[in-house]
Amino acid sequence: MTATSEPGGARASHPEPPARLSLVPEGVAPGRLGGAWWPRSRDLLRELPPLAATLAPSWGEILRVTVNPAHWPVIPRRVPVTGHVIHVGWFEQEQDAEEVVVCSFVPRRLDLLVIPPETEAPTAEWLMTAACEPANTRTATELLAAAGAPTEGARTGG
């Protein structure tokens, strides 16, 4: 079962740290993925605003994000960010459990490997580099498996 929520409660006003993100360099055709994102938690209300802020200068205003609910215990339908709202959706079967798809106003689409928050730094660094390789043909799940990081199937026993 996937839980959804509507943003309602006030959050602390302390600024979130910038998103841990690596992207294929501008002007280079991406491989299978456009980069990798290493969130600090599994809280989309907390994690999406820094991701949107980091992407905005080069990707424009982020309007929609799709996730696989395997990663996120609660999926808010809308996430407020500076000046607008990001609409969040999910695809359980069609989308790799280890990936997030970001769509911008421009319009552009960015497929990112989601590195589990509990991943150790050396492994996360390798994954961030591997996901940005223009010659990469591996899926997000395949990259995590190659790095020895737990995939959603391994985390849930499936």
Side-chain angles (χ1 to χ4, degrees):
M1 172 183 252
T2 301
T4 61
S5 71
E6 296 295 328
R11 290 204 168 252
S13 61
H14 57 80
E16 295 293 337
R20 298 182 293 188
L21 180 69
S22 64
L23 298 173
V24 172
E26 200 62 40
V28 174
R32 187 158 193 158
L33 298 165
W37 175 41
W38 186 20
R40 290 173 172 80
S41 73
R42 295 185 187 276
D43 179 352
L44 286 170
L45 281 171
R46 176 180 162 199
E47 298 295 337
L48 285 180
L51 178 64
T54 301
L55 288 171
S58 59
W59 281 83
E61 189 174 276
I62 304 307
L63 298 179
R64 183 162 180 76
V65 172
T66 62
V67 299
N68 186 300
H71 254 297
W72 313 100
V74 176
I75 300 176
R77 303 292 255 155
R78 296 184 299 266
V79 175
V81 295
T82 304
H84 71 286
V85 172
I86 297 174
H87 296 272
V88 182
W90 63 90
F91 296 100
E92 292 185 58
Q93 302 299 321
E94 297 84 9
Q95 185 170 333
D96 188 323
E98 311 301 339
E99 193 174 306
V100 64
V101 177
V102 179
C103 299
S104 73
F105 179 74
V106 174
R108 291 174 86 180
R109 173 186 163 141
L110 180 62
D111 294 53
L112 297 173
L113 161 69
V114 177
I115 301 169
E118 63 275 6
T119 303
E120 294 188 21
T123 302
E125 290 169 13
W126 183 87
L127 286 163
M128 291 183 103
T129 300
C132 290
E133 287 293 323
N136 175 47
T137 59
R138 292 185 271 192
T139 66
T141 297
E142 291 168 343
L143 278 175
L144 283 173
T151 61
E152 184 53 38
R155 287 190 294 272
T156 60

